[in-house]
Amino acid sequence: MAFTLVSLNVPGTVINELTIHSFEMGLYLAHANCRGQTGFILQADLLQRGLRRPQRFKSVTEVLQLLDKAQVKNAVLLHQSAYDEMVGQGGKVDNSLRLVLI
């Protein structure tokens, strides 16, 4: 599903779950579950030209502020670290940090 801020941030829109993915260098992407569909929030201007690129955010607060008109039932911050790989820990370990925001 192709979600944009314009399509989601309207009164009456219910976002069942909003997952904000945290990446290195202060980059955040948002994944929404709304109207029985799931998908990343995409850049509207590029989507109009047929390009599907995720909308980048600078902070968790920015994501929530830009969706202030929609009703967000659950929101979580998800951060996956590559630290174990960097220090030579063997095997793939799920070291995801999930922080409940709403």
Side-chain angles (χ1 to χ4, degrees):
M1 178 68 185
F3 294 120
T4 63
L5 287 172
V6 174
S7 68
L8 289 175
N9 195 33
V10 264
T13 297
V14 176
I15 300 172
N16 296 317
E17 184 169 39
L18 179 68
T19 303
I20 302 171
H21 297 266
S22 170
F23 296 97
E24 304 298 324
M25 306 298 291
L27 171 67
Y28 297 87
L29 303 178
H31 187 270
N33 179 333
C34 180
R35 298 179 219 117
Q37 305 274 336
T38 63
F40 279 95
I41 298 176
L42 305 177
Q43 295 180 29
D45 57 336
L46 295 178
L47 188 59
Q48 291 173 349
R49 295 187 293 173
L51 301 172
R52 298 176 62 88
R53 298 230 174 96
Q55 176 73 46
R56 295 179 177 193
F57 301 94
K58 297 176 187 171
S59 69
V60 172
T61 304
E62 180 186 22
V63 177
L64 296 175
Q65 286 176 342
L66 291 172
L67 292 171
D68 65 338
K69 293 178 184 156
Q71 178 189 1
V72 179
K73 288 189 170 185
N74 299 300
V76 295
L77 174 66
L78 179 65
H79 179 77
Q80 296 171 315
S81 174
Y83 179 77
D84 292 341
E85 295 172 20
M86 292 187 293
V87 297
Q89 298 291 328
K92 181 77 174 156
V93 177
D94 182 16
N95 58 2
S96 300
L97 171 68
R98 288 180 63 90
L99 178 65
V100 176
L101 302 172
I102 298 175

